[in-house]
């Protein structure tokens, strides 16, 4: 070694020297003072931190309006949906707006007519493909002003077929692949505000929730084996054509103000329009527990956020999420 050259000291040894010197300051004495000592053997434990809440991501979005009366049984394709909105319509009934992105069903339906509320429901999803079967002339003008790509069966039958084993008008079945092709594709989901991840702390035990409208009832009952709340509509299990009961990994009861539209049905009844911008109370259920929450949405294109105790309420990653739009003044029953 050349004079003046220094041998490189391994980092671990250098740390040991510093530690030994520190230990020998003050009252240290004896031959070992200042000498490096052998570091104790340590075991490194790797801790996995749960992923934080993340927004919904997926492929091209297809939204489909589906009948929710007994005549439309069995409904088709709901098990593949990311989100299913239960929406009040005229006569105290409800319809479903099923939104698909991470997965597309082979078929969906029975497809029924669109409503004004659909425009706001879909506004924060982006310019998405929307399949439905006609609307009144009043509603058609409002749907035409929305950001969604309208795929009405009345405009073209492309992407639809009639199931002759079902009574009309409950027999229109949609082909998602053909409908997306008709739309020229569709965008991926925008930030709708939903966050998926491990459950937040708190909540209370909740094995079922039942929401009612004047002429409809939807209950969801926790099934630990499935890891879902299983859907019961108007007192009957809601099953697919194969006999599997539909379920939701997360259930949201969103209390909203409902106002009459300028539209009237054939019986002269006004169509309700749900006010989805603003803030209100909500209830979120997942994993057999429930959280009292608050929803908030600044504008039609803004995310809808759900918070409880200052925390963002997270939804189960596996989905689906069922959102029950319950008019204020009514209260869902939780057990």
């Amino acid at each position: 070694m050349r004079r003046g050259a220094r041998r490189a000291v391994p980092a671990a040894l250098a740390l040991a020297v510093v530690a030994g010197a520190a230990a020998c300051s003050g009252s240290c004495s004896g031959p070992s003072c200042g000498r490096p000592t052998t570091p104790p053997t340590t075991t490194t434990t790797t801790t996995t931190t749960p992923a934080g809440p993340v927004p919904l991501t997926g492929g091209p979005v297809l939204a489909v309006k589906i009948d929710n009366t007994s005549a439309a049984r069995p409904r088709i394709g709901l098990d593949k949906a990311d989100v299913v909105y239960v929406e009040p319509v005229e006569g105290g009934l409800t319809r479903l707006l099923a939104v698909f992105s991470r997965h597309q069903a082979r078929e969906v339906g029975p497809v029924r007519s669109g409503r004004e509320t659909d425009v706001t429901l879909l506004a924060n999803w982006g310019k998405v493909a929307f399949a439905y079967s006609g609307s009144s002339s009043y509603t058609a003008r409002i749907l035409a002003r929305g950001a969604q790509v309208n795929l009405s069966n009345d405009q073209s039958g492309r992407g639809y077929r009639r199931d002759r084993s079902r009574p009309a008008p409950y027999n229109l079945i949609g082909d998602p692949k053909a409908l997306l092709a008709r739309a020229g594709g569709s965008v991926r989901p925008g930030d709708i505000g939903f966050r998926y991840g491990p459950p937040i702390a708190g909540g209370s035990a909740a094995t079922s929730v039942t929401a009612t409208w004047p002429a409809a009832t939807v209950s969801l009952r926790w099934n630990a084996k499935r890891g879902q709340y299983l859907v019961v509509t108007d007192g009957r299990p809601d099953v697919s054509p194969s006999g599997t009961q539909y379920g939701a990994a997360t259930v949201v009861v969103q209390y909203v103000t409902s106002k009459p539209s300028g539209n009237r049905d054939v019986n002269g009844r006004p169509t309700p329009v749900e006010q989805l911008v603003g803030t209100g109370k909500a209830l979120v259920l997942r994993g057999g527990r429930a959280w009292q929450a608050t929803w908030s949405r600044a504008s039609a294109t803004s995310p809808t956020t759900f918070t409880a105790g200052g925390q963002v309420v997270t939804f189960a990653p596996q989905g689906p999420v069922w959102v029950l739009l319950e008019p204020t003044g009514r209260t869902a029953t939780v057990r």
Side-chain angles (χ1 to χ4, degrees), residues 105-295:
R106 188 176 66 85
E107 290 190 314
V108 291
V111 180
R112 295 301 303 277
S113 54
R115 293 294 184 275
E116 295 169 60
T117 302
D118 300 332
V119 171
T120 310
L121 277 175
L122 294 174
N124 56 11
W125 285 85
K127 194 176 180 64
V128 301
F130 176 38
Y132 61 99
S133 179
S135 62
S136 70
S137 57
Y138 179 97
T139 304
R141 290 192 294 271
I142 295 173
L143 290 172
R145 296 199 294 265
Q148 75 284 346
V149 178
N150 294 322
L151 304 173
S152 173
N153 178 61
D154 289 9
Q155 297 169 340
S156 168
R158 182 184 173 193
Y160 299 100
R161 71 173 180 87
R162 291 286 179 182
D163 181 351
R164 301 306 175 186
S165 68
R166 295 169 178 258
Y170 312 101
N171 63 350
L172 185 66
I173 310 302
D175 177 338
K177 184 177 180 180
L179 288 166
L180 285 170
R182 174 179 159 183
S186 184
V187 298
R188 296 177 182 275
D191 184 1
I192 62 171
F194 294 5
R195 292 295 180 265
Y196 297 80
I200 64 173
S204 56
T207 56
S208 72
V209 59
T210 299
T212 61
W213 298 264
T217 302
V218 175
S219 299
L220 295 104
R221 301 169 183 171
W222 176 244
N223 183 297
K225 185 176 181 179
R226 283 266 302 268
Q228 290 185 323
Y229 289 85
L230 304 187
V231 183
V232 177
T233 303
D234 297 331
R236 295 173 56 193
D238 217 324
V239 300
S240 70
S242 67
T244 301
Q245 191 169 359
Y246 288 121
T250 305
V251 183
V252 178
V253 179
Q254 184 177 350
Y255 293 101
V256 295
T257 300
S258 184
K259 295 182 178 180
S261 163
N263 185 57
R264 296 290 187 275
D265 69 6
V266 293
N267 298 311
R269 296 173 298 191
T271 301
V273 179
E274 313 315 310
Q275 307 302 302
L276 303 172
V277 175
T279 188
K281 294 181 179 180
L283 181 69
V284 178
L285 298 91
R286 63 175 291 189
R289 300 190 70 77
W291 287 261
Q292 298 290 338
T294 298
W295 68 266

Side-chain angles (χ1 to χ4, degrees), residues 64-68 71-76 96 108-112 166 169-174:
V64 186
K65 201 61 181 287
I66 297 177
D67 196 284
N68 200 36
R73 291 175 178 269
R75 281 163 274 281
I76 302 171
L96 307 178
V108 291
V111 180
R112 295 301 303 277
R166 295 169 178 258
Y170 312 101
N171 63 350
L172 185 66
I173 310 302

